[in-house]
Amino acid sequence: MLYRTQVTQIGEFATESLNENMIIIFNDNAPKDVADYCFIHPDAELNGEILVGGQFLLGAISYPITAVGCVVSHNLDALGHITIRFDGASEAEYPGTVHVNGTCPKALEIGTEIIFTSNH
């Protein structure tokens, strides 16, 4: 397991991102204006690097990672802040984006686990 945390707060506008097939996460040190758009979680330690071929688990659903932006691991470790896009893209759209294959959930609840695992 590379990273494990859970949703503890849902920003006022965070669920709007689900309509665009993505979620934005940030640890609980997020600036207020940014936190409004994020699913907030406690800070957690990243134990390795997020890579293509790994898995993103959101609650009980596992999504294969298809692309990883160049600053994802750094941003996740330092800020707990990345975007996860549910579009199966093979190249990262932005440096802080992880792309996964699968259907974006329609809603997220407080307590939903967020886990990244490696491909070993």
Side-chain angles (χ1 to χ4, degrees):
M1 188 166 320
L2 297 174
Y3 194 84
R4 181 180 193 164
T5 190
Q6 65 181 13
V7 177
T8 53
Q9 275 179 272
I10 298 173
E12 186 177 350
F13 308 110
T15 56
E16 292 177 12
S17 64
L18 299 173
N19 298 329
E20 298 172 33
N21 291 322
M22 65 179 179
I23 63 172
I24 304 165
I25 64 171
F26 211 119
N27 71 22
D28 44 23
N29 292 320
K32 171 71 176 115
D33 56 334
V34 175
D36 284 341
Y37 295 91
C38 299
F39 293 92
I40 305 299
H41 61 89
D43 199 19
E45 186 178 337
L46 179 63
N47 300 304
E49 196 172 343
I50 307 297
L51 298 171
V52 170
Q55 296 288 314
F56 168 64
L57 287 84
L58 191 59
I61 303 171
S62 180
Y63 301 90
I65 297 170
T66 60
V68 179
C70 61
V71 299
V72 163
S73 292
H74 172 77
N75 285 3
L76 189 59
D77 194 39
L79 306 168
H81 175 51
I82 58 169
T83 299
I84 298 110
R85 291 200 66 103
F86 296 81
D87 62 4
S90 58
E91 286 188 34
E93 181 180 20
Y94 297 108
T97 303
V98 171
H99 295 263
V100 299
N101 199 9
T103 304
C104 185
K106 299 287 180 235
L108 275 186
E109 297 176 0
I110 289 177
T112 300
E113 277 198 313
I114 297 168
I115 299 173
F116 284 94
T117 63
S118 66
N119 54 355
H120 327 344

